[in-house]
Amino acid sequence: MMKYRYKNKKMKNTHPLLVSCGHCKTPVVLYQKGGKGNLIKIQFPRVLECSMDIFNDRGHLICPNCKTVLAKRGDFHGTECFWVLRGKVNTKILSHYNY
């Protein structure tokens, strides 16, 4: 499914979240989300799997299939992250994902 897999360990009070393109429904990022709210930002240390190499690429988060911009690269308290554009992504909680 995903091309790049990053080694993370399970954090307390988090769940895996599949982030896909809102236009073509292509899976883009598997993210370790904390809390109950909406997805606002994607922090790099919490990315589990990704369809592109986000650490070496300096651009925005773009769908590999339809080339739609899904999130803008930014900074949050000294940590690099993607700020998600509202309405551009779909999310789904994966209950049976093993870390």
Side-chain angles (χ1 to χ4, degrees), residues 21-50:
C21 177
H23 181 67
C24 66
K25 311 298 188 261
T26 303
V28 180
V29 174
L30 187 60
Y31 182 66
Q32 197 170 3
K33 170 90 168 77
K36 296 186 278 188
N38 295 334
L39 183 65
I40 297 172
K41 63 187 169 297
I42 298 174
Q43 298 176 4
F44 286 6
R46 292 187 178 195
V47 172
L48 300 173
E49 296 180 18
C50 189

Side-chain angles (χ1 to χ4, degrees), residues 2 16 37 46 53:
M2 298 289 181
R46 292 187 178 195
D53 191 10

Side-chain angles (χ1 to χ4, degrees), residues 2-6 8 28-31 42-64 70-71 73-74 80-82:
M2 298 289 181
K3 188 175 180 182
Y4 295 94
R5 186 172 175 98
Y6 302 105
N8 291 12
V28 180
V29 174
L30 187 60
Y31 182 66
I42 298 174
Q43 298 176 4
F44 286 6
R46 292 187 178 195
V47 172
L48 300 173
E49 296 180 18
C50 189
S51 60
M52 64 192 82
D53 191 10
I54 59 172
F55 294 107
N56 293 332
D57 187 23
R58 290 288 168 197
H60 303 305
L61 184 63
I62 299 173
C63 176
L70 305 175
R73 185 179 291 267
E80 277 192 276
C81 67
F82 286 122

